[in-house]
């Protein structure tokens, strides 16, 4: 008796199409996120990069966002990015634009 772990599932054509469309949507969405991320990489910093550059904790970044001191410039999916120019202005002790 061979054990190849094959699982056969009965589904309608409509169910198969729905599953297929869902997978395609996820792939396309991830491609859009990746493309946008690569465009923004030169102009934006991640939360971790921003916190490290400013030598503050992620909690401090969160509090600054709530207080309007330094707000993220973009969100792509669940990722948050800060404007490199604004972070550098904060690093120099300058005024951060609102």
């Amino acid at each position: 008796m061979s054990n190849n772990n094959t699982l056969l599932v009965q589904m309608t054509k409509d169910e198969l199409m729905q599953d297929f469309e869902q997978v395609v949507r996820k792939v396309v969405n991830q491609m859009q996120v990746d493309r946008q991320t690569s465009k923004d990489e030169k102009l934006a910093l991640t939360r971790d990069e921003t916190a490290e550059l400013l030598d503050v904790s992620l909690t401090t970044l969160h509090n600054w966002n709530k207080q309007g001191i330094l707000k993220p410039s973009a969100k792509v999916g669940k990722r948050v990015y800060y404007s490199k120019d604004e972070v550098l202005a904060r690093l120099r002790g300058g005024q951060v634009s609102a």
Side-chain angles (χ1 to χ4, degrees):
M1 179 154 85
S2 80
N3 184 6
N4 62 6
N5 295 327
T6 302
L7 177 64
L8 298 176
V9 178
Q10 270 191 315
M11 58 183 359
T12 66
K13 179 181 172 185
D14 288 340
E15 290 171 328
L16 179 62
M17 288 305 295
Q18 286 175 348
D19 285 354
F20 181 73
E21 287 172 4
Q22 189 175 27
V23 169
V24 170
R25 262 189 243 109
K26 284 181 182 179
V27 170
V28 169
N29 185 41
Q30 187 59 50
M31 288 171 61
Q32 290 172 334
V33 167
D34 291 345
R35 186 178 68 211
Q36 185 65 38
T37 300
S38 67
K39 284 181 186 176
D40 292 342
E41 277 179 353
K42 295 175 186 160
L43 304 174
L45 301 169
T46 65
R47 291 179 66 233
D48 289 334
E49 291 169 335
T50 301
E52 185 177 335
L53 188 61
L54 296 175
D55 196 25
V56 298
S57 68
L58 293 175
T59 302
T60 298
L61 276 184
H62 175 76
N63 290 336
W64 283 358
N65 179 21
K66 287 176 104 176
Q67 297 166 4
I69 295 170
L70 181 63
K71 292 193 164 281
S73 60
K75 286 185 179 183
V76 180
K78 293 182 179 181
R79 298 176 186 158
V80 175
Y81 294 94
Y82 289 84
S83 161
K84 200 172 202 176
D85 290 339
E86 289 186 25
V87 172
L88 293 175
R90 168 58 61 185
L91 191 58
R92 289 188 297 265
Q95 188 67 23
V96 177
S97 62

